[in-house]
Amino acid sequence: MTITTLSSRQFNQDASKAKKAAMAGPVFITDRGRPAHVLLTFEEYRKITGGRTKIADLLAMPGIDDIELDIPQLRDPAQPADLS
């Protein structure tokens, strides 16, 4: 894995270079000499995040209206807290 570091200016001037470098490993993009962003391929991002799907993404799926969800009602109503 190769780590590439580019300044924000270099990134803005040659984004295709940064995308090519991301194929070999992460690209650190600096702002005033400090790391500010990391560019990864989508596949690498999926590996890092474990490919987890967010609930918002699931709710936005086409055909979600066809799925039935039975949520049981709570039997015990909320009780006041005993702070004594």
Side-chain angles (χ1 to χ4, degrees), residues 31-80:
D31 190 13
R32 297 188 175 140
R34 294 182 156 200
H37 304 277
V38 178
L39 179 66
L40 303 169
T41 62
F42 189 70
E43 293 81 22
E44 193 62 30
Y45 170 77
R46 284 286 195 176
K47 286 181 195 175
I48 291 171
T49 61
R52 290 174 278 182
T53 305
K54 296 179 185 173
I55 187 78
D57 294 336
L58 292 173
L59 292 173
M61 290 174 47
I64 197 75
D65 297 333
D66 299 334
I67 298 174
E68 290 190 31
L69 178 63
D70 294 324
I71 301 175
Q73 290 200 352
L74 294 175
R75 295 175 192 251
D76 296 328
Q79 300 292 323

